[in-house]
Amino acid sequence: MAVNPGDADADELPSMLWGLDPDFSAYSRLYITDILQMKESRQVPGAYFYKTHPIFKVDVLGTVVYKREREDFYCYGVDDSTGVINCLCWKDEKCSDHGGSTKCKDPSGSSRGFNIEDELKRLTEAEQKSTVLEIGDLLRVRGTVKTSRDAREISATSSYKVNDPVMAVHISRMLEMPQLYRKCYDQPFQMPRDDLGGTEAGGSSRYHYLLSRSVLTLKEFFLEKEVARFRPYDVEFLLHPLIQSSSESDQPGTSFATQIRNLLKETLSVLQDEGQIFRKIQTQDEVYNVTEQDKDLHTEIKDVLREDTKREKYAEKGCHVLHILSSVRQGYSQNLSQEMLEVALTFLECNSDITSTTEAHYTVL
Amino acid sequence: MLPPPAVFHFLWEINTDLVKDGASVRTYGRLISYKPEGSKAVLSGQQSSAQCHVSVQTTLVEPFQPTLGAQYFVLGEIEKTDGLTGVILHARALSNVDGVDLTLMQKAIREQRCFFKKRIPEINEQAPHCEPSYVKKL
């Protein structure tokens, strides 16, 4: 299915803002079919999106239809009538130790007094009973969603068998879920309004949101199109949909063009501070290099490492980041900052071109 | 490896074309007979004034304590034979749920179905007439 890259980029909420969505921090009660189908986030592996909401923790209730026991955990297949998912319920190590110890019941009648050891033992046994289930039992699981070998599963943080003799729990869950979907999960995520009043304060949270959105858009554009160098007006068009979609103007009285220019300036400044882009030569012509795509920079770094690690001084430990920085500055560009170098070094390390010997030393492979 | 999800159906729907051969279902009904030799049980349900029966094969869920006249919840696969036996439900899970509020149960199932139908309008699964109860209250 051909997807317009512009739309796809605007789809996901930037990860910096996920904490603002209450559904992200709560154990979301989604139908298992939705848990199985929700797409994985492009920004952070391990997080998923149901419509506009970032999700990584869920709460399911269903019938156990499959059971597998391993040394450390039970794997229960849970069916809630919309889908079936594997839930990994870890065994409690404390319980297994207790089982080995000898029973020390007081034969003269433990009804007199409160024997703490017996009570603790009874508590542990009750806990164990509630976590070992058979097929047909009702299980409640709260845990994180994981994808392992192309299959989604839930790694339980807590799970227990539900005693439901008249199906009251089952029924109330069935009644509650559509309400939750209507009120929360199917509602599009809204940025919380800043109620401090005044355009300045009121606009700041929205502007911050816009800025993080535009930074993300540009980063994804560089990656997708493998952009090595660009000028600001080359990427201006990417910010148009962001300004158009914001309902009120941030600074009333300013034109669309001015807003775009301001946003672009801020965005480029943020990207420079992060080290993602840099200006090789400070001229009137504003040309930016994209750190991860600049092959000349990578070659320069590798050459520096190759030459210097031949020397006895650096042979074993590798070169320190600051040493590499000063060498590359001399050989390539005076405008290189440490952040930019670190971005390039991390990229090269991920590509297995170089390796780090300590946290700040690198050597060539 | 995992079995398919068992969709909720009413007992009277199982005998109709709404439920296909081999489908995984969950349903509930009153236990009116049980033959341990053949592992056969019969559940009965009532819609309006009509009674309907479904045979349940209980091989996989034995032994269980049968209480005639009690409501049971069952989950399993449907087998439709052309012969005299009609429809058989091969139970994978069976539990006594005597005391369940039948009206509330029906309402819950219908509301859930209504919700699913609205979500996926192009896949019109069940045709049962659906009226969300919250609309009625207004």
Side-chain angles (χ1 to χ4, degrees):
Chain A
M1 184 174 85
V3 177
N4 183 0
D7 291 338
D9 287 345
D11 243 0
E12 266 190 33
L13 191 69
S15 59
M16 203 181 343
L17 304 173
W18 286 353
L20 291 173
D21 187 349
D23 294 336
F24 180 64
S25 319
Y27 284 95
S28 305
R29 295 187 185 188
L30 296 170
Y31 288 117
I32 292 181
T33 179
D34 290 329
I35 298 174
L36 291 172
Q37 286 172 11
M38 57 187 185
K39 54 179 170 37
E40 193 153 3
S41 161
R42 282 193 312 272
Q43 301 168 67
V44 179
Y48 304 82
F49 269 88
Y50 173 73
K51 297 202 174 165
T52 55
H53 296 279
I55 307 273
F56 78 104
K57 304 198 281 201
V58 292
D59 176 333
V60 299
L61 176 79
T63 316
V64 175
V65 293
Y66 172 80
K67 175 181 170 177
R68 190 178 70 204
E69 183 177 351
R70 289 276 180 273
E71 205 183 310
D72 303 329
F73 62 89
Y74 288 104
C75 177
Y76 295 115
V78 176
D79 176 352
D80 75 343
S81 85
T82 65
V84 187
I85 194 168
N86 269 327
C87 298
L88 302 181
C89 303
W90 303 93
K91 288 189 194 171
D92 196 358
E93 282 169 22
K94 281 192 302 178
C95 292
S96 50
D97 287 339
H98 264 253
S101 65
T102 52
K103 289 205 188 285
C104 51
K105 266 215 162 75
D106 185 356
S108 63
S110 49
S111 56
R112 195 186 339 164
F114 179 72
N115 188 341
I116 190 96
E117 269 190 45
D118 277 352
E119 294 302 319
L120 267 175
K121 213 170 294 275
R122 285 231 296 268
L123 179 64
T124 325
E125 279 167 13
E127 271 182 339
Q128 266 186 311
K129 259 203 228 123
S130 80
T131 47
V132 182
L133 287 91
E134 299 303 323
I135 294 193
D137 289 337
L138 195 64
L139 175 67
R140 172 114 182 252
V141 178
R142 304 185 109 205
T144 54
V145 181
K146 290 195 162 43
T147 308
S148 127
R149 288 180 224 159
D150 286 337
R152 289 270 162 93
E153 52 189 29
I154 300 176
S155 177
T157 53
S158 66
S159 64
Y160 62 93
K161 172 171 159 183
V162 181
N163 265 334
D164 198 17
V166 295
M167 294 192 76
V169 180
H170 215 134
I171 293 174
S172 79
R173 188 84 174 211
M174 274 200 280
L175 287 169
E176 168 192 61
M177 298 279 276
Q179 305 282 3
L180 277 175
Y181 270 78
R182 276 184 212 110
K183 284 189 196 147
C184 309
Y185 309 132
D186 285 343
Q187 296 289 338
F189 170 67
Q190 297 276 358
M191 276 288 295
R193 288 211 60 86
D194 208 335
D195 288 332
L196 289 174
T199 336
E200 193 80 27
S204 67
S205 65
R206 216 175 335 111
Y207 185 72
H208 194 71
Y209 171 71
L210 260 184
L211 186 62
S212 52
R213 251 266 155 73
S214 70
V215 167
L216 183 66
T217 310
L218 253 58
K219 268 198 215 167
E220 293 196 346
F221 176 74
F222 297 149
L223 191 63
E224 229 179 288
K225 303 289 182 196
E226 293 181 7
V227 177
R229 275 202 316 274
F230 68 95
R231 291 189 176 78
Y233 61 71
D234 293 331
V235 296
E236 211 182 278
F237 73 97
L238 291 165
L239 304 181
H240 286 189
L242 293 174
I243 297 281
Q244 274 163 1
S245 63
S246 65
S247 42
E248 304 149 34
S249 105
D250 228 358
Q251 305 123 30
T254 55
S255 70
F256 179 77
T258 321
Q259 283 182 49
I260 291 270
R261 233 177 302 130
N262 290 341
L263 182 62
L264 186 60
K265 212 169 90 178
E266 279 292 324
T267 312
L268 292 177
S269 163
V270 168
L271 285 170
Q272 263 196 299
D273 291 340
E274 283 183 14
Q276 295 285 339
I277 63 175
F278 66 98
R279 284 177 70 177
K280 188 169 171 192
I281 321 160
Q282 290 279 21
T283 59
Q284 237 177 348
D285 188 13
E286 228 181 310
V287 180
Y288 289 91
N289 288 41
V290 178
T291 320
E292 283 186 359
Q293 308 286 347
D294 193 342
K295 299 279 185 283
D296 293 332
L297 173 64
H298 301 164
T299 318
E300 178 69 28
I301 295 174
K302 284 192 274 191
D303 285 343
V304 164
L305 284 174
R306 219 173 286 127
E307 284 303 313
D308 286 348
T309 45
K310 284 190 189 139
R311 288 157 60 181
E312 214 184 287
K313 189 175 168 192
Y314 302 112
E316 212 180 294
K317 206 173 175 192
C319 302
H320 192 271
V321 170
L322 296 174
H323 169 81
I324 305 173
L325 185 61
S326 64
S327 307
V328 175
R329 270 191 180 150
Q330 281 175 11
Y332 189 69
S333 165
Q334 278 294 340
N335 298 326
L336 208 71
S337 74
Q338 195 173 347
E339 285 78 31
M340 294 159 190
L341 182 69
E342 304 241 337
V343 168
L345 287 170
T346 314
F347 178 76
L348 288 171
E349 202 180 358
C350 289
N351 276 357
S352 298
D353 288 325
I354 65 174
T355 186
S356 55
T357 52
T358 77
E359 230 184 276
H361 291 78
Y362 289 86
T363 184
V364 68
L365 279 170
Chain B
M1 205 160 64
L2 285 173
V7 183
F8 241 123
H9 280 281
F10 295 115
L11 216 58
W12 49 90
E13 291 171 343
I14 294 186
N15 280 317
T16 68
D17 284 332
L18 281 171
V19 179
K20 308 267 181 306
D21 185 27
S24 295
V25 302
R26 56 178 80 192
T27 189
Y28 61 95
R30 203 160 60 87
L31 184 69
I32 56 173
S33 85
Y34 176 56
K35 292 197 188 67
E37 318 84 58
S39 296
K40 275 204 164 36
V42 177
L43 292 182
S44 113
Q46 183 140 15
Q47 185 199 23
S48 323
S49 49
Q51 281 263 341
C52 65
H53 304 288
V54 170
S55 287
V56 179
Q57 190 69 31
T58 54
T59 333
L60 296 172
V61 295
E62 273 161 358
F64 73 99
Q65 188 73 265
T67 312
L68 293 179
Q71 289 287 335
Y72 275 82
F73 167 81
V74 64
L75 188 157
E77 274 66 45
I78 293 289
E79 185 192 341
K80 292 199 171 179
T81 55
D82 294 325
L84 303 158
T85 40
V87 173
I88 302 180
L89 173 57
H90 292 267
R92 276 190 278 132
L94 182 78
S95 50
N96 185 329
V97 293
D98 206 28
V100 61
D101 187 337
L102 291 171
T103 338
L104 200 58
M105 176 72 128
Q106 277 193 35
K107 174 181 159 191
I109 296 174
R110 286 194 209 276
E111 268 209 37
Q112 201 170 55
R113 278 192 186 166
C114 224
F115 178 68
F116 288 148
K117 217 167 139 194
K118 287 211 181 92
R119 289 174 96 198
I120 323 164
E122 61 263 19
I123 306 170
N124 243 329
E125 286 187 342
Q126 270 86 56
H129 180 56
C130 99
E131 268 170 23
S133 53
Y134 65 88
V135 170
K136 276 186 186 156
K137 277 182 189 145
L138 297 171

